Amino acid sequence: MNKQILRDTERQLRAVMKMSRAGIFATESKKWTISFANKRMAELFGCTVPELSGKAFIDYIHPAYILIMQKMTCRSCSGGMLRNLRLNCT
């Protein structure tokens, strides 16, 4: 695929994610470093988008759920998919 097409597609995807009313974020590496988060995701975590950028997503997980998230990450990295992951923020 042409590099320009990839750049345009990424830009369009980011625009859609940014405008979404759902909390959306993307991570890099197995350390779950947040590379993108929309405003709604930041609101769910009680911070701003710039405050989330570069932070480890796992730092926002309750200690009781860290092992579960790590197992899900390993499954995802080995070709599995994370489906219907919901964060209940109270």
Side-chain angles (χ1 to χ4, degrees):
M1 206 182 241
N2 175 316
K3 287 183 180 184
Q4 183 60 41
I5 293 171
L6 286 174
R7 281 192 292 270
D8 291 345
T9 301
E10 180 180 358
R11 185 176 35 80
Q12 291 170 356
L13 181 59
R14 283 184 179 269
V16 169
M17 291 189 303
K18 187 175 180 180
M19 299 300 294
S20 176
R21 295 191 317 185
I24 300 172
F25 68 98
T27 62
E28 295 179 11
S29 78
K30 290 183 180 181
K31 292 182 181 180
W32 284 40
T33 303
I34 298 172
S35 59
F36 171 85
N38 68 357
K39 184 177 177 181
R40 180 64 182 137
M41 192 79 247
E43 289 170 354
L44 290 171
F45 285 135
C47 59
T48 66
V49 171
E51 290 172 330
L52 273 180
S53 182
K55 298 289 194 296
F57 173 69
I58 205 81
D59 291 344
Y60 293 92
I61 302 300
H62 188 280
Y65 296 102
I66 289 177
L67 184 59
I68 294 168
M69 294 302 294
Q70 288 172 332
K71 286 180 182 179
M72 291 173 73
T73 302
C74 290
R75 185 170 43 232
S76 176
C77 291
S78 64
M81 294 183 69
L82 299 179
R83 292 191 179 147
N84 300 321
L85 175 62
R86 295 177 187 257
L87 297 176
N88 295 319
C89 299
T90 56

